[in-house]
Amino acid sequence: MGSDPDAVIADILAQMDRERPDSARLRLTESFGGTLPRLAGVVGWPLDHSLSPALHNGWLRRYHISGRYLKLPLSPENFKAGIKLLQHLGFRGVNVTIPHKEDAFQIATRLTEIARRCGSANTLVFGDDGEIFGDSTDGTGFCENLRAHGVALHGRALILGAGGAARAICAALMEKGSDVSIANRSVTRAKALSAQLHGLRHVSWDDWPSHLGAVDLLVNTTSLGMQGAADYDWESALSKARDDLSVADIVYVPLETSLLRQARRRGLRTVDGLGMLIEQARVGFRTWFGKDPQADDATRRALLGALG
Ligand code: ATR
């Protein structure tokens, strides 16, 4: 019986410069009782709140795949060396979360078009020849989830926020043919994003609700409404909306944000943040573990369980 592989890999990554890669590999193998399964994981700093291990390990159990998805805590200064070590340890790839998405973009030797447009990568696939393929699946996962909810992707969209998530979602929606505008509290950030994504419009944060009459899809990518964060007067904002507006929030704690609650009360179509998380994860799972996992109710229930 081996020791806990999550604890062993965390220890290996924490003392990378004091242990030889071959001895680290032996230790990791022993933690699995002598045979390494297929390995992937999530790299971030810190990682306490990541739902990805519950999601991927749930799928691995469901499909009886001999694999394991581990938490891979890596500090920013150790990112590059850590990725090399994970390649050496036999990992097939990793998801990348805050604060490493730009570094993941830099370390990739090949990139998808969408990752190039975003300037960041959240999924790395390690090739046998040492190549590192970088993809940005947040935006495409978001669009897949909208499609699953019956939301048309070629209309007019208004995105609130100008952070990394907004960038990925704008790039993906624009690629699908949406006419996209953003509104962000800090004008400088909004302008920087519209300069990066050719064709992206910008409306002022102070009067974004007045644009709702001409919009098919509203997406919140800001932290407004997230547990413990500030909120917004969505009720009066949505009074300007058309009856056929679709409203999506990428926040999933709480699952029904006050934005989604107000939208539901008005009878608007709503899309919560869990579906995007599931859809973006499918891409990596398919590549690393060779199976297209289901984004069904059982998957949602398992994630909700992990969320407590
Ligand atoms: P991510 O990369 O995950 O999208 P981020 O870069 O921290 O996260 O972006 C958070 C977004 O929430 C930003 O657009 C931020 O607006 P600013 O660029 O003006 O900071 C937005 N945000 C956070 N708190 C906000 C608030 N109280 N009111 C309006 N927008 C807020």
Side-chain angles (χ1 to χ4, degrees), residues 161-165 184-186 189 205 221-224 230:
N184 192 56
R185 179 181 58 178
S186 136
R189 264 184 117 185
W205 177 256
T221 75
T222 73
S223 49
L224 287 167

Side-chain angles (χ1 to χ4, degrees), residues 101-102 105 112-122 135-140 163-172 193 196-197:
K101 291 184 185 182
E102 276 82 20
F105 173 83
T112 57
E113 179 55 32
I114 193 92
R116 211 169 280 130
R117 291 196 81 181
C118 290
S120 71
N122 74 334
D135 196 359
S136 171
T137 64
D138 286 332
T140 35
R167 185 161 57 169
I169 286 171
C170 289
L193 184 54
Q196 270 168 13
L197 295 177

Side-chain angles (χ1 to χ4, degrees), residues 20-250:
R20 288 210 314 276
D22 287 342
S23 125
R25 191 181 167 106
L26 194 64
R27 222 157 40 101
L28 186 64
T29 308
E30 278 167 0
S31 78
F32 282 103
T35 314
L36 275 185
R38 294 185 214 182
L39 290 174
V42 54
V43 175
W45 188 263
L47 268 177
D48 303 340
H49 300 296
S50 177
L51 286 177
S52 296
L55 184 55
H56 285 267
N57 287 320
W59 279 331
L60 287 169
R61 281 192 297 274
R62 179 168 170 182
Y63 298 116
H64 308 290
I65 296 171
S66 161
R68 188 72 170 260
Y69 187 96
L70 295 169
K71 280 190 182 179
L72 307 166
L74 258 184
S75 65
E77 57 278 16
N78 281 341
F79 178 78
K80 217 171 160 181
I83 292 293
K84 297 277 172 225
L85 178 58
L86 292 169
Q87 284 181 286
H88 182 88
L89 294 175
F91 277 71
R92 290 169 179 234
V94 291
N95 283 129
V96 180
T97 187
I98 291 168
H100 299 309
K101 291 184 185 182
E102 276 82 20
D103 286 339
F105 173 83
Q106 295 295 341
I107 206 173
T109 53
R110 286 167 68 180
L111 289 158
T112 57
E113 179 55 32
I114 193 92
R116 211 169 280 130
R117 291 196 81 181
C118 290
S120 71
N122 74 334
T123 305
L124 297 177
V125 177
F126 302 153
D128 294 335
D129 46 4
E131 284 241 62
I132 301 178
F133 301 89
D135 196 359
S136 171
T137 64
D138 286 332
T140 35
F142 177 80
C143 288
E144 277 309 311
N145 187 42
L146 286 185
R147 212 197 305 271
H149 281 79
V151 178
L153 298 178
H154 51 264
R156 283 163 298 184
L158 175 60
I159 314 301
L160 306 179
R167 185 161 57 169
I169 286 171
C170 289
L173 280 171
M174 290 169 80
E175 198 181 47
K176 305 280 180 215
S178 279
D179 180 355
V180 186
S181 303
I182 57 160
N184 192 56
R185 179 181 58 178
S186 136
V187 184
T188 324
R189 264 184 117 185
K191 286 192 172 157
L193 184 54
S194 34
Q196 270 168 13
L197 295 177
H198 183 68
L200 178 64
R201 297 169 208 269
H202 163 225
V203 302
S204 130
W205 177 256
D206 292 331
D207 72 350
W208 66 261
S210 69
H211 295 267
L212 281 184
V215 163
D216 304 294
L217 170 67
L218 173 69
V219 185
N220 177 42
T221 75
T222 73
S223 49
L224 287 167
M226 191 186 287
Q227 198 173 66
D231 214 334
Y232 191 80
D233 182 3
W234 304 109
E235 189 177 5
S236 72
L238 290 178
S239 66
K240 317 264 191 332
R242 295 203 320 244
D243 291 345
D244 59 352
L245 177 74
S246 297
V247 180
D249 203 329
I250 68 161

